């Protein structure tokens, strides 16, 4: 069971057994396919689990039971929904731009896949470990807005167009806050590489070690990342009571499912980034100097820590969604440009000053 | 640079959007044609009639007992109060004095209806603003009232409990106990409404100063009910022209002066407290007696005309009966509160954003069958 | 003002008005041509100030049309019923009051839709409840609809 604590043992053994049988070029190809398949499975599983979780969490907040009929406690409900969506007829407006209309869901999915590729799930379990990993993720995750804009533009529906334009304005604004709040921690770590960021938290997570500026950055990240994923209370792009369904009004069947899935995947990705940067990623809860305590914590495998933290973040986002009313577009932009951004910039300065003076733990 | 902009005609143009008849927040089949400049509303034009059943024409062929049932199908959320309006008009024309017991029971059920209507409004209001949880909360509490209704008269929505001359049946023996249980329960739950929505920063920002309606405009547009009272228009029929047992209970007419969405919201929340207060005064004092006075099987009103107004959850509901002495009215007009309230929508929504329009519509609390009739 | 004074007030302005004490309200019938001048006077005069039009409807009588205005003053709390009599059933016409009481705009559209009464100078007189291509005026007594018959 050692591999559960260090996945490089597992990946190494796979690599060695493959190398024993094939040439190096083939090995690379096979490994790429393996990783790709693994991500697809993860993606599908995430969709299944998160949709079910969302329904159960919302049911919990609304004093009801949620899905209960299909499977034990409704666990197979999402599966049934997938089958339903597969059977549905894909419809399109007569005047819709066919090519862009069909392209849009894939762009969103691809953006989500690309971002997921560089997440450190556990020790040694990371497909791509760039030295600019954080920059890469924030760049790629904002690609999704292109898909939303295309979907809104090509649907030939004014509701979709309004939704897409709202979403464009929103994501471009909140991208700033996400980036800046992450930078606040990068000032501490001195590196953009995700594995290094995780390793640097071996003596305690940054949210605890970074004084108040880290906490502020975390809160800003939580708000801004919720906005970036287009989830309530920032779901203006879909705003079902105003724009029927916003940018995906005209989509049905599997293409709609892609948007739906991408939303949950994006939620997972931003939660994973938050967990990695602020809450130590797969790093167990350590307190610098307390060896005994740290050893006890190490018994829990890193992958459990990672998914636990991500789960916590996702729960927070669901909590927001099912509690708050939606903002209006001007309030949304005011919140970003007049409050979050100035606070964020000041916060970075304070953090830089702290690091310069060596006052952090 | 300026020339280029001018050449390409980059100035903004108005465009139109069809909101409804199938739209999540028009609460039925209301169709609004919005003229928009970006997200800003320049004009709202309501197109009605998608659920027009010509109830007034049908009434011209129906007996008065039958007309009562048709009123259920207009404002289905305050159906009991609608029924009562017709019954009161007929009783007034026949100069029929109903027993005290009927008066008290009708008043209690009126107020329960108002409560249930406001609960549903509160839930839907939250949902329109994106807080879906409130919808379930509102329905959870409304369920208790509909249970009481079901036990009393067998129906949960269209109750048909009133008939000219009294009530269909006497109340269920459990009625008093269950109503008291409900009041005790809801007194604990109503503060929860405030913690979930009223005190929420986002909610306040969405509502404050949106959709202002001055007192003069409210009167001119004939906007009544909590919507009118939030603008300072004292229009509570229960106070001004007391009917049934409203003259013997003590309650406040909720008035506000701001006239914006939040004022309308607060008015309705405060009305729920007042309704509970009214029920509390009456529930232990239901006098003994008959639950109806006998009327003839075929009611023929004398020649003449009568106008009876009552206060529904949405405002002043009026029945105008012109009788020629026949078994059916010569002409019957329902003055529905939603119809007049809707006429102010354009005035309130101009210059607002689409999201504000949704908020304004929810605070108007429109019920479309009530508007279309 | 009590009913007697309202009656006097109206008779001062419209000499041919017919007043009747109904079971409930004072009912005053005036010729349709006088409606605009009387309505603006009723609203503007501080002694009457009928600022709240709570019901506007039309009635189809065998030989004439009536437009019925239920008026109330929110300051003086008095109310009465004003009826404007249009002497023809073919092409009935009457001046609009929707710039005096703005609620009249939709109510008049409804009356036009169902009774075919033309409200002159109305800003937007179109069918309200029925479709634009509907033929006839359904609330009139002689309206015949062989498809959607009302059986009784």
């Amino acid at each position: 069971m050692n591999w559960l604590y260090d996945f490089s043992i597992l990946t190494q053994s796979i690599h060695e057994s493959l190398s024993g049988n094939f040439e190096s070029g083939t090995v690379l190809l096979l490994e790429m396919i393996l990783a790709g398949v693994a991500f697809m499975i993860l993606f599908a599983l995430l969709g299944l689990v998160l949709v079910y979780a969302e329904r159960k969490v919302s049911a919990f907040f609304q004093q009801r039971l949620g899905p209960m009929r299909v499977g034990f406690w409704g666990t197979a409900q999402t599966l049934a929904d997938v089958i339903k969506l597969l059977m549905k007829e894909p419809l399109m407006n007569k005047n819709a731009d066919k090519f862009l209309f069909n392209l849009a869901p894939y762009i969103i999915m691809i953006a989500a896949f690309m971002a997921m590729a560089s997440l450190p799930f556990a020790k040694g379990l990371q497909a791509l470990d760039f030295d600019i990993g954080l920059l890469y993720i924030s760049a790629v995750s904002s690609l999704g807005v292109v898909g939303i804009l295309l979907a809104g533009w090509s649907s030939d529906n004014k509701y979709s167009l309004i939704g897409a334009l709202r979403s464009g304005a929103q994501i471009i604004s909140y991208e700033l806050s996400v980036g800046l709040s992450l930078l606040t921690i990068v000032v501490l770590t001195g590196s953009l590489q995700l594995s290094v960021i995780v390793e640097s938290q071996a003596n305690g997570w940054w949210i605890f070690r970074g004084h108040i500026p880290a906490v502020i950055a975390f809160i800003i990240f939580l708000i801004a990342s919720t906005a970036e994923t287009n989830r309530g209370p920032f779901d203006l792009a879909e705003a079902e009571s105003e724009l029927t369904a916003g940018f995906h009004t005209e989509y049905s069947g599997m293409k709609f499912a892609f948007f739906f899935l991408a939303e949950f995947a994006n939620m997972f990705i931003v939660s994973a980034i938050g967990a990695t940067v602020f809450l130590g990623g797969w790093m167990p809860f350590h307190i610098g100097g307390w060896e005994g305590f740290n050893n006890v914590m190490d018994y829990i495998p890193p992958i459990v820590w990672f998914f636990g933290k991500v789960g916590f973040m996702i729960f927070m986002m669901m909590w927001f969604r099912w509690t708050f009313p939606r903002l209006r577009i001007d309030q949304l932009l005011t919140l970003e440009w007049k409050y979050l951004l100035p606070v964020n910039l000041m916060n970075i300065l304070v953090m830089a000053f702290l690091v310069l003076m060596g006052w952090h733990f | 640079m300026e020339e280029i902009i001018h050449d390409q005609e980059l100035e903004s143009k108005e465009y139109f959007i069809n909101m409804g008849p199938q739209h999540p927040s028009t609460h039925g089949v209301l169709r609004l044609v919005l003229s928009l400049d970006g997200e800003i509303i320049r004009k709202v034009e309501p197109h009605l009639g998608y659920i027009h059943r010509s109830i007034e024409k049908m009434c011209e062929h129906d007996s008065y007992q039958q007309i009562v049932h048709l009123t259920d199908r207009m404002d289905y959320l305050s159906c009991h109060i609608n029924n009562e309006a017709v019954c009161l008009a007929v009783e007034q024309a026949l100069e029929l004095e109903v027993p005290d017991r009927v008066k008290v029971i009708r008043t209690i059920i009126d107020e329960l209806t108002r409560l249930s209507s406001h609960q549903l409004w509160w839930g839907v209001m939250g949902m329109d603003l994106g807080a879906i949880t409130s919808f379930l909360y509102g329905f959870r509490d409304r369920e208790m009232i509909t249970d009481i209704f079901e036990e009393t008269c067998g129906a949960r929505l269209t109750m048909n409990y009133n008939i000219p001359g009294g009530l269909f049946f006497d109340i269920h023996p459990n009625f008093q106990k269950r109503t008291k249980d409900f009041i005790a329960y809801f007194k604990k739950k109503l503060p929860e409404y405030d913690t979930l929505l009223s005190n929420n920063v986002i909610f306040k920002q969405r509502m404050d100063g949106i959709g202002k309606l001055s007192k003069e405009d409210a009167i001119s547009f004939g906007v009544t009910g909590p919507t009118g009272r939030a603008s300072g228009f004292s229009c509570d029929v229960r106070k001004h022209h007391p009917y049934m047992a409203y003259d013997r209970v003590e309650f406040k007419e909720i008035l506000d002066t701001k006239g914006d969405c939040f004022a309308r919201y607060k008015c309705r929340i405060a009305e729920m407290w007042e309704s509970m207060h009214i029920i509390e005064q009456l529930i232990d004092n239901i006098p003994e007696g008959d639950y109806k006075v006998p009327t003839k099987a075929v009611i023929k009103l004398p020649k003449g005309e009568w106008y009876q107004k009552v206060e529904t959850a949405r405002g002043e509901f009026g029945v105008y009966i012109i009788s020629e002495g026949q078994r059916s009215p010569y002409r019957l007009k329902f003055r529905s509160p939603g119809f007049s309230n809707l006429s102010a929508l354009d005035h309130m929504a101009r210059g607002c954003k689409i999201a504000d329009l949704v908020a304004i519509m929810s605070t108007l609390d429109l019920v479309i069958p009530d508007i279309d009739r | 003002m009590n009913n007697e004074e309202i009656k006097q007030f109206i008779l001062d302005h419209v000499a041919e008005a017919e007043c009747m004490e109904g079971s409930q309200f004072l009912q005053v019938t005036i010729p349709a041509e006088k409606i605009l001048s009387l309505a603006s006077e009723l609203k503007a005069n501080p002694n009457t100030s009928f600022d709240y039009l709570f019901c506007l409807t039309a009635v189809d009588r065998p030989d004439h049309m009536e437009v019925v205005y239920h008026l109330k003053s929110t300051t003086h709390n008095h109310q009465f019923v004003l009826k404007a009599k249009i002497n023809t059933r073919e092409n009935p016409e009457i001046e609009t009051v929707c710039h005096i009481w703005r609620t009249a705009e939709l109510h008049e559209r409804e009356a036009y839709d169902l009774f075919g009464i033309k409200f002159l100078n109305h800003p937007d007189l179109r069918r309200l409840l029925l479709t634009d291509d509907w033929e006839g005026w359904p609330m009139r007594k002689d309206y015949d609809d062989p498809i959607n018959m009302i059986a009784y």
Side-chain angles (χ1 to χ4, degrees), chain A residues 274-346:
Chain A
T276 306
V277 174
F278 294 96
L279 305 176
W282 48 262
M283 191 59 79
F285 184 63
H286 283 174
I287 298 174
W290 293 22
E291 283 308 317
F293 178 78
N294 291 352
N295 285 337
V296 173
M297 284 294 155
D298 282 342
Y299 274 112
I300 304 171
I303 194 145
V304 175
W305 277 106
F306 178 77
F307 279 103
K309 287 168 191 174
V310 172
F312 166 73
M313 295 273 293
I314 288 176
F315 179 75
M316 293 280 281
M317 288 169 87
M318 287 178 179
W319 192 351
F320 292 161
R321 171 162 184 182
W322 297 107
T323 309
F324 291 132
R326 188 181 302 118
L327 274 82
R328 205 169 55 212
I329 181 76
D330 57 325
Q331 291 167 347
L332 179 92
L333 296 178
T334 311
L335 175 69
E336 164 64 17
W337 294 102
K338 288 197 181 156
Y339 298 100
L340 293 188
L341 190 65
V343 169
N344 225 330
L345 288 171
M346 281 306 294

Side-chain angles (χ1 to χ4, degrees), chain A residues 58 61-64 158-159 162 166 233 235 240-244 321-331, chain B residues 15-19 23-25 39 128-133 136-137 140 200 202 205-206 210 354-356 358:
Chain A
S58 68
F61 282 121
Q62 297 169 350
Q63 307 203 341
R64 56 192 175 91
K158 285 171 195 161
Y159 284 119
I162 297 176
R166 276 184 180 184
D235 56 345
E240 80 277 337
S241 60
E242 297 152 27
L243 304 178
T244 55
R321 171 162 184 182
W322 297 107
T323 309
F324 291 132
R326 188 181 302 118
L327 274 82
R328 205 169 55 212
I329 181 76
D330 57 325
Q331 291 167 347
Chain B
Y15 65 106
F16 296 92
I17 240 186
N18 230 334
M19 203 164 176
H23 188 279
S25 65
E39 280 231 12
D128 281 347
L129 294 178
I132 301 167
T133 301
L136 277 296
Y137 276 47
R140 176 195 66 191
N200 186 308
I202 302 174
Q205 293 228 329
R206 282 288 302 273
I210 302 299
I354 299 176
D356 294 333
V358 174

Side-chain angles (χ1 to χ4, degrees), chain B residues 82-367:
Chain B
N82 292 356
N83 291 346
E84 196 177 306
V86 178
C87 295
L88 285 173
V90 173
E91 282 156 17
Q92 193 190 11
L94 293 175
E95 289 169 0
L96 211 65
E97 183 66 25
V98 295
D100 248 14
R101 184 176 177 80
V102 175
K103 287 186 181 174
V104 172
I105 294 173
R106 276 183 181 173
T107 312
I108 292 171
I109 298 198
D110 271 0
E111 290 310 311
L112 282 175
T113 314
R114 195 184 317 280
L115 268 174
S116 78
S117 169
H118 283 349
Q119 282 164 349
L120 188 133
W121 157 80
W122 182 82
V124 172
M125 154 119 240
M127 197 170 70
D128 281 347
L129 294 178
I132 301 167
T133 301
S134 70
F135 185 68
L136 277 296
Y137 276 47
F139 265 84
R140 176 195 66 191
D141 301 335
R142 186 173 180 267
E143 196 62 21
M144 291 192 72
I145 297 186
T146 38
D147 281 347
I148 295 174
F149 288 162
E150 190 182 3
E151 203 178 55
T152 310
C153 59
R156 293 166 68 84
L157 191 66
T158 50
M159 288 153 44
N160 295 327
Y161 190 43
N162 277 319
I163 49 168
L167 306 164
F168 245 114
F169 335 94
D170 208 351
I171 45 169
H172 195 273
N174 269 343
F175 179 76
Q176 274 163 304
K177 186 185 163 291
R178 286 188 80 159
T179 310
K180 273 188 272 187
D181 284 352
F182 166 75
I183 298 288
Y185 164 84
F186 195 53
K187 278 204 161 159
K188 283 200 216 80
K189 292 295 177 186
L190 195 49
E192 227 175 60
Y193 287 21
D194 284 335
T195 37
L196 185 62
L197 272 191
S198 325
N199 298 331
N200 186 308
V201 186
I202 302 174
F203 183 75
K204 265 190 193 156
Q205 293 228 329
R206 282 288 302 273
M207 307 287 275
D208 240 347
I210 302 299
K212 283 218 168 172
L213 187 70
S214 67
K215 187 182 173 186
E216 287 69 37
D217 285 332
I219 296 171
S220 178
F221 277 112
V223 173
T224 50
T227 318
R229 290 197 280 281
S231 301
F233 174 24
S234 166
C235 55
D236 198 330
V237 183
R238 296 174 292 173
K239 273 275 179 225
H240 289 271
H241 308 279
Y243 53 96
M244 290 294 106
Y246 283 115
D247 47 357
R248 67 181 81 162
V249 288
E250 179 260 314
F251 69 101
K252 281 203 295 284
E253 181 181 9
I254 313 293
L255 283 173
D256 205 318
T257 46
K258 280 178 78 184
D260 59 354
C261 284
F262 199 57
R264 294 195 273 277
Y265 174 86
K266 280 191 301 187
C267 258
R268 287 208 172 82
I269 294 279
E271 268 197 10
M272 287 202 239
W273 286 110
E274 286 305 314
S275 288
M276 287 199 282
H277 185 52
I278 293 173
I279 297 172
E280 272 181 335
Q281 293 173 51
L282 292 174
I283 191 67
D284 282 324
N285 303 317
I286 302 179
E288 293 298 320
D290 280 338
Y291 61 88
K292 66 176 171 188
V293 283
T295 50
K296 286 185 193 140
V298 176
I299 296 177
K300 282 187 181 168
L301 297 197
K303 201 166 185 286
E305 54 177 79
W306 294 270
Y307 187 93
Q308 176 65 44
K309 43 183 158 182
V310 292
E311 180 77 17
T312 73
R314 259 143 286 277
E316 180 183 318
F317 178 83
V319 182
Y320 178 46
I321 299 179
I322 300 177
S323 169
E324 293 283 319
Q326 301 299 315
R327 62 184 277 275
S328 326
Y330 182 78
R331 164 94 174 103
L332 194 142
K333 158 86 179 169
F334 293 115
R335 187 264 186 214
S336 60
F339 190 73
S340 301
N341 291 3
L342 176 75
S343 64
L345 179 65
D346 179 40
H347 175 75
M348 285 149 87
R350 280 192 190 195
C352 290
K353 300 204 164 48
I354 299 176
D356 294 333
L357 175 73
V358 174
I360 294 170
M361 268 204 303
S362 337
T363 49
L364 281 182
D365 194 13
L366 302 174
V367 167

Side-chain angles (χ1 to χ4, degrees), chain A residues 53-65:
Chain A
E54 171 101 319
R55 291 178 138 193
K56 280 294 183 193
V57 168
S58 68
F60 166 65
F61 282 121
Q62 297 169 350
Q63 307 203 341
R64 56 192 175 91
L65 291 171

